[in-house]
Amino acid sequence: MNARQAALLSGDYEVTPFSRKKKVKAAEDATPKVVKTVSPKVKVENFKLMDVKPLTEGQRQVFLAFKQGLNVIASGSAGTGKSFTATFLALEKLINKEITKIVFVRSAVNIRTQGHLPGTQAEKEAVYTVPYKNIVNQLCQCGTAWDSLTKAGLIEFTTTTYIRGLTFDNCIMIIDEFQNMDPSEMESVLTRLGESTQLIVCGDTRQNDLQRKREVSCHEWLLKVARALPRYFDVVDFTSEDVVRSKLCKAIIKAIEAIN
C-alpha cells in the first residue's frame, strides 16, 4: 500500500477543488427538488358570456325589473327560461365585476327523508346543482365554467338546510323552485340578504313537491310580502305563451292547462 492509499483510508488527505465540486454536485443530485406550484386565479372577465336577449314578454319584464335594481319574483309555467334568464343576468353582473358572488339557493325537499341512505349531506345535495352547472357552462361557452367559478368562490350553491346564520353581501342570490319552500324556509332565506345584494326568485306552483301534512308552499305568502314592498320587488307571471323550451313542450303545457 502506497502513501496515497493509506491517506485515503485514514481520511487524512487534502480535498482538491475538483473532488469537492464532485461531492457537492452529488449531494445536490441526491436532494429531492421541490417544485412550487401556484394555482392560477380565475378571472371572470376571461369567460365569454353568450349574448342573451329576452325572447318573450315574461323574460322582457324580468330583464327590465332587474336592470332597474328591483328584486324579481318570476313565477309560472315550466320551460319559460326563468332560471336561464336569472343566471344570465347574474353572470353579466359578475363578469362586469359589479358583484362578488352568485349564490344559488333551493330547498332539498326530496332528501329530507334520505338520512338513512349512504352518503354525506353534500353528496345527497350534489344532484341539485346539475341544472345550474349546465346553464352556467352553456352561458359561459365553457364546459368547465361552473367548476372553475365554484372553486374560486365566485359561485356558491346551498340549500335552506345550511343557510341560517349567514349573511350575503354584494351578490346576486337566485332562489329556485321556491314553491318547494314553506313560509318559514323562505323567511330564513330572505332575512339572509345583506348590503348590495339583489334577489331573483324562480318557481312553478304546478310542480310542488311538498307532501308532508301541514306543509304549505310559501307561494301565496311570498307574493303578499312582495306586493307589500313595491319599492323593492316586482312580480312577473309567466304563462304558457312564454314557453321557449320547444314547440312540443309548449303544446303539452297548453294541453295540461286546458285539462286542469
Side-chain angles (χ1 to χ4, degrees), residues 28-49:
E28 288 177 346
D29 291 341
T31 303
K33 295 181 179 180
V34 179
V35 180
K36 293 183 179 180
T37 57
V38 179
S39 300
K41 291 184 178 180
V42 174
K43 294 183 178 180
V44 291
E45 61 268 25
N46 290 344
F47 289 102
K48 186 179 180 183
L49 191 63

Side-chain angles (χ1 to χ4, degrees), residues 162-200:
Y162 299 109
I163 205 165
R164 286 188 178 180
L166 301 178
T167 301
F168 296 97
D169 293 317
N170 195 33
C171 67
I172 301 297
M173 180 182 286
I174 299 174
I175 304 176
D176 204 15
E177 306 294 348
F178 75 85
Q179 74 277 359
N180 289 330
M181 296 183 189
D182 61 29
S184 177
E185 280 182 288
M186 181 56 74
E187 182 177 350
S188 294
V189 179
L190 294 181
T191 53
R192 302 304 100 207
L193 301 177
E195 295 294 335
S196 303
T197 291
Q198 198 170 356
L199 179 69
I200 306 179

Side-chain angles (χ1 to χ4, degrees), residues 66 70-71 86-94 98-105 154-156 168-175 193 195-201:
F66 183 82
L70 292 171
N71 301 290
T87 304
F88 168 76
L89 292 169
L91 281 170
E92 190 175 45
K93 281 207 166 191
L94 182 68
E98 298 176 49
I99 57 171
T100 57
K101 183 190 294 186
I102 300 172
V103 180
F104 290 90
V105 182
L154 298 172
I155 285 181
E156 180 179 335
F168 296 97
D169 293 317
N170 195 33
C171 67
I172 301 297
M173 180 182 286
I174 299 174
I175 304 176
L193 301 177
E195 295 294 335
S196 303
T197 291
Q198 198 170 356
L199 179 69
I200 306 179
V201 186

Side-chain angles (χ1 to χ4, degrees), residues 39-257:
S39 300
K41 291 184 178 180
V42 174
K43 294 183 178 180
V44 291
E45 61 268 25
N46 290 344
F47 289 102
K48 186 179 180 183
L49 191 63
M50 286 177 59
D51 184 19
V52 175
K53 304 295 183 185
L55 299 177
T56 68
E57 178 59 23
Q59 291 184 7
R60 189 192 69 80
Q61 290 180 33
V62 171
F63 267 71
L64 182 61
F66 183 82
K67 291 182 182 294
Q68 289 177 342
L70 292 171
N71 301 290
V72 184
I73 298 174
S75 173
S77 299
T80 52
K82 299 183 296 295
S83 300
F84 187 88
T85 300
T87 304
F88 168 76
L89 292 169
L91 281 170
E92 190 175 45
K93 281 207 166 191
L94 182 68
I95 289 175
N96 291 336
K97 296 185 177 180
E98 298 176 49
I99 57 171
T100 57
K101 183 190 294 186
I102 300 172
V103 180
F104 290 90
V105 182
R106 62 180 289 174
S107 176
V109 173
N110 295 335
I111 69 166
R112 289 177 183 170
T113 58
Q114 291 180 359
H116 63 285
L117 296 179
T120 64
Q121 186 81 5
E123 289 170 340
K124 294 174 185 176
E125 292 175 351
V127 64
Y128 291 100
T129 68
V130 174
Y132 316 114
K133 181 176 183 177
N134 292 340
I135 292 173
V136 168
N137 289 347
Q138 180 183 352
L139 285 169
C140 290
Q141 304 178 84
C142 173
T144 60
W146 172 270
D147 293 334
S148 298
L149 293 170
T150 52
K151 286 178 181 177
L154 298 172
I155 285 181
E156 180 179 335
F157 174 85
T158 188
T159 66
T160 53
T161 308
Y162 299 109
I163 205 165
R164 286 188 178 180
L166 301 178
T167 301
F168 296 97
D169 293 317
N170 195 33
C171 67
I172 301 297
M173 180 182 286
I174 299 174
I175 304 176
D176 204 15
E177 306 294 348
F178 75 85
Q179 74 277 359
N180 289 330
M181 296 183 189
D182 61 29
S184 177
E185 280 182 288
M186 181 56 74
E187 182 177 350
S188 294
V189 179
L190 294 181
T191 53
R192 302 304 100 207
L193 301 177
E195 295 294 335
S196 303
T197 291
Q198 198 170 356
L199 179 69
I200 306 179
V201 186
C202 306
D204 177 10
T205 55
R206 289 178 176 270
Q207 299 187 47
N208 188 331
D209 296 322
L210 295 176
Q211 296 178 349
R212 290 180 177 179
K213 291 182 179 180
R214 293 182 293 180
E215 279 190 326
V216 179
S217 173
C218 71
H219 177 238
E220 293 298 330
W221 177 89
L222 178 61
L223 292 182
K224 289 179 181 179
V225 172
R227 285 167 179 156
L229 300 169
R231 177 183 173 187
Y232 298 99
F233 284 89
D234 190 20
V235 178
V236 179
D237 294 316
F238 283 78
T239 71
S240 56
E241 294 300 326
D242 294 299
V243 175
V244 293
R245 182 163 293 154
S246 68
K247 290 181 179 179
L248 177 58
C249 179
K250 188 170 186 174
I252 290 172
I253 290 174
K254 281 181 171 291
I256 292 172
E257 288 179 353

Side-chain angles (χ1 to χ4, degrees), residues 11-31:
D12 184 20
Y13 64 95
E14 181 182 358
V15 180
T16 64
F18 175 74
S19 63
R20 185 184 297 276
K21 286 180 181 178
K22 289 183 69 175
K23 284 192 173 185
V24 170
K25 187 177 186 304
E28 288 177 346
D29 291 341
T31 303

